[in-house]
Amino acid sequence: MATALSNLSEYDADALPDGSPYKIHLVVSEWNKKITEALLLGAKTTLIQSGVLPENLKTWKVPGSFELIYGAKKAQLENPHAVIAIGSLIQGETSHFDFVCQAVSQGIKDLNVNSEIPVIFCVLTDHTLEQAQDRSGGKHGNKGVEAAVAALQMADLKPKQG
Ligand code: DLZ
């Protein structure tokens, strides 16, 4: 998972599924809002460039990353083809960060296990604000772009012959 000095957000647009049939919901945490808004912009821009119709995108705002689980569960009830959960957790002085990281990753994993609608994990878990900036439009790219690519791939998931 090392990202040392690499931008992982580049993708081959020609290899992506056409987004025009798909409805995608984005659930966004308001904590570290500058970071999550940058991730949201990266995700929405990529989805629209891939053919998703603006009227087929819906955005839900939740107070913090911990609430992404409930927000994504509510979004699933509207039957989109995929949900993207966007958050930014930045380590503080206590172990709160570890508990919330653990809860959010497990909670979103559980939604994927228990529902037919994929939930994409676009939650930054950084030690510093600078690391978060590097991954939300900085030197390591924009993880919102990568989440949008994953959402389209999962919305379009089907087996290949052989
Ligand atoms: C309380 C809290 C703290 C300290 N840090 C963050 C953070 O870095 N990123 C984030 O998304 N949310 C944080 N929160 C808020 C919790 O996710 C949650 O909203 C509250 O504990 C209320 O349930």
Side-chain angles (χ1 to χ4, degrees):
M1 292 220 185
T3 55
L5 297 177
S6 61
N7 177 343
L8 300 177
S9 302
E10 286 165 18
Y11 63 96
D12 178 4
D14 294 335
L16 262 192
D18 167 26
S20 61
Y22 297 125
K23 290 184 188 152
I24 312 280
H25 285 208
L26 303 106
V27 187
V28 188
S29 158
E30 307 243 58
W31 258 80
N32 302 318
K33 198 178 166 108
K34 274 197 177 163
I35 302 294
T36 60
E37 288 294 329
L39 295 169
L40 176 64
L41 181 65
K44 281 170 86 169
T45 305
T46 305
L47 292 167
I48 287 171
Q49 281 171 353
S50 306
V52 180
L53 303 174
E55 60 266 33
N56 286 338
L57 289 179
K58 268 196 192 170
T59 304
W60 305 62
K61 295 285 171 87
V62 296
S65 288
F66 188 77
E67 286 72 39
L68 287 171
I69 306 159
Y70 182 81
K73 190 172 74 168
K74 290 275 280 186
Q76 283 181 320
L77 293 174
E78 293 203 6
N79 270 322
H81 296 92
V83 175
I84 302 175
I86 296 177
S88 164
L89 285 153
I90 300 179
Q91 192 162 26
E93 290 178 0
T94 69
S95 49
H96 184 270
F97 172 81
D98 303 298
F99 285 105
V100 179
C101 288
Q102 185 71 16
V104 178
S105 56
Q106 289 295 319
I108 289 178
K109 182 269 290 174
D110 289 345
L111 293 178
N112 280 287
V113 171
N114 296 320
S115 160
E116 295 303 309
I117 297 165
V119 182
I120 307 303
F121 187 76
C122 181
V123 182
L124 302 184
T125 56
D126 294 304
H127 300 300
T128 64
L129 176 62
E130 187 185 359
Q131 287 180 336
Q133 289 165 338
D134 288 346
R135 289 159 179 78
S136 55
K139 69 182 178 200
H140 292 313
N142 186 322
K143 299 294 166 191
V145 171
E146 294 169 44
V149 169
L152 286 171
Q153 289 170 333
M154 294 307 288
D156 195 61
L157 187 66
K158 40 181 119 55
K160 290 202 171 82
Q161 192 64 45

